[in-house]
């Protein structure tokens, strides 16, 4: 009997040990961390949305025509349109196109000095070299640089196949210009050696610079041609996809940024 009345509140003490106001969620730190991650993701999404809206607004205001700067015809902005991972490669291709443009001009000047030096084929060289400035500069931009620019921007198969076809012809043309056969409009190796041999130093030096330019842009384009082909294969572009894209979008896709 004494044991029955010894500690009448023993059960209540045991219940008191389980504090009703103690933390009912022992994983609260994990919950807080999870909530913080969600908040950060929401902030990142809001930031990205603001960047995209700002970029879209910039393109609407300034994206109609900004290239070339002296007579804008098209919109060209690597930083705005090309994914970050591909920007260095596309930038290098654009720089190689600028080297090509400079080489065409130097090549023409060299051909003029070759004519002054008394070359029997000088007139034809000058005429062809002037034609190259207009023809090669425009066609190279439209037929291989612009397609690969659009290819990395839109990641569509059609642009890659356009690039492979026309850049392949450009690489062959570069070899042709490096050789420098007289009367072809090239102040390449053969013409340069002849000018050095006959001591026409200005024509020889300009021909040498032109030959270096043809070689530099040719080797550079060949190097990136391989890299682009590897990327095209890894991504899974096929001729069937290219045909489907051509049928779906038509030629107008070439001139749009969508």
């Amino acid at each position: 009997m004494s044991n029955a009345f010894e500690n009448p509140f023993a059960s209540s003490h045991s219940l008191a040990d389980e504090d009703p106001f103690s933390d009912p969620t022992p994983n609260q730190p994990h919950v807080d961390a999870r909530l913080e991650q969600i908040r950060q993701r929401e902030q990142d999404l809001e930031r990205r949305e603001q960047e995209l809206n700002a970029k879209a607004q910039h393109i609407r205001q300034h994206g109609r025509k900004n290239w070339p700067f002296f007579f804008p015809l098209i919109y060209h902005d690597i930083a705005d349109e090309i994914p970050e991972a591909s920007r260095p490669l596309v930038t290098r291709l654009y720089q190689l196109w600028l080297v090509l443009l400079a080489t065409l001009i130097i090549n023409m000047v060299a051909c003029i000095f070759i004519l002054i030096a008394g070359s029997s084929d000088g007139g034809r060289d000058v005429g062809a070299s002037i034609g190259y400035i207009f023809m090669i500069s425009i066609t190279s931009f439209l037929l291989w640089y612009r397609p690969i620019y659009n290819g990395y921007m839109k990641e569509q198969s059609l642009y890659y196949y356009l690039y492979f076809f026309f850049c392949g012809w450009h690489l062959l043309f570069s070899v042709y210009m490096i050789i420098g056969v007289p009367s072809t409009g090239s102040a390449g190796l053969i013409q340069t050696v002849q000018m050095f041999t006959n001591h026409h130093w200005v024509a020889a030096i300009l021909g040498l610079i032109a030959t270096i330019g043809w070689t530099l842009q040719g080797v550079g384009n060949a190097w990136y041609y391989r890299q682009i082909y590897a990327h095209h294969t890894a991504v899974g572009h096929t001729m069937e996809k290219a045909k489907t894209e051509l049928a779906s979008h038509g030629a107008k896709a070439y001139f749009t940024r969508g």
Side-chain angles (χ1 to χ4, degrees):
M1 294 293 294
S2 61
N3 291 338
F5 296 97
E6 184 175 347
N7 193 356
F9 300 103
S11 59
S12 62
H13 284 298
S14 62
L15 291 174
D17 291 340
E18 299 178 4
D19 187 355
F21 298 102
S22 62
D23 187 1
T25 55
N27 292 327
Q28 189 66 32
H30 299 287
V31 174
D32 292 340
R34 181 62 178 169
L35 291 174
E36 182 62 26
Q37 289 178 356
I38 294 173
R39 282 193 292 268
Q40 290 179 356
R41 289 179 183 177
E42 290 177 348
Q43 292 174 357
D44 289 340
L45 289 173
E46 291 177 359
R47 176 178 54 80
R48 292 176 185 175
E49 183 178 2
Q50 292 173 357
E51 290 176 353
L52 290 173
N53 289 337
K55 186 178 293 185
Q57 182 64 23
H58 172 78
I59 292 175
R60 280 195 296 270
Q61 293 178 352
H62 309 287
R64 298 298 178 225
K65 297 177 181 179
N66 73 339
W67 190 97
F69 66 91
F70 54 85
F71 191 75
L73 295 172
I74 62 173
Y75 182 73
H76 178 270
D77 195 327
I78 294 174
D80 269 352
E81 296 193 300
I82 306 301
E84 184 176 358
S86 303
R87 285 175 199 165
L89 185 146
V90 177
T91 300
R92 296 294 181 271
L93 291 175
Y94 180 61
Q95 291 170 345
L96 285 172
W97 183 85
L98 293 176
V99 171
L100 169 64
L101 185 61
T103 301
L104 288 166
I105 296 171
I106 295 171
N107 180 76
M108 180 199 67
V109 176
C111 287
I112 292 173
F113 276 91
I114 289 173
L115 173 62
I116 294 172
S119 171
S120 59
D121 298 310
R124 281 176 286 186
D125 283 322
V126 173
S129 65
I130 293 174
Y132 289 153
I133 289 180
F134 296 99
M135 182 178 68
I136 301 302
S137 61
I138 294 172
T139 56
S140 62
F141 187 90
L142 294 177
L143 297 180
W144 64 258
Y145 173 72
R146 191 65 178 175
I148 198 58
Y149 180 97
N150 285 337
Y152 275 100
M153 176 175 65
K154 304 176 184 180
E155 207 58 67
Q156 293 180 359
S157 301
L158 177 61
Y159 296 109
Y160 285 91
Y161 284 99
L162 287 172
Y163 165 79
F164 291 139
F165 180 79
F166 288 109
C167 188
W169 280 108
H170 175 72
L171 293 176
L172 294 176
F173 176 77
S174 297
V175 173
Y176 172 75
M177 296 298 285
I178 290 170
I179 295 172
V181 177
S183 78
T184 61
S186 169
L189 283 173
I190 295 175
Q191 299 260 53
T192 299
V193 170
Q194 289 178 352
M195 292 299 105
F196 272 116
T197 302
N198 296 320
H199 306 293
H200 299 296
W201 302 113
V202 176
I205 292 172
L206 288 171
L208 179 62
I209 295 173
T211 302
I212 293 172
W214 287 116
T215 304
L216 179 63
Q217 64 83 34
V219 171
N221 275 305
W223 173 263
Y224 289 113
Y225 192 97
R226 292 182 59 192
Q227 289 193 17
I228 293 168
Y229 187 83
H231 168 78
H232 140 275
T233 303
V235 171
H237 293 298
T238 64
M239 182 61 72
E240 291 302 319
K241 289 183 179 180
K243 292 178 181 178
T244 301
E245 290 162 4
L246 181 61
S248 301
H249 307 295
K252 69 178 182 180
Y254 181 86
F255 301 101
T256 60
R257 296 189 303 276

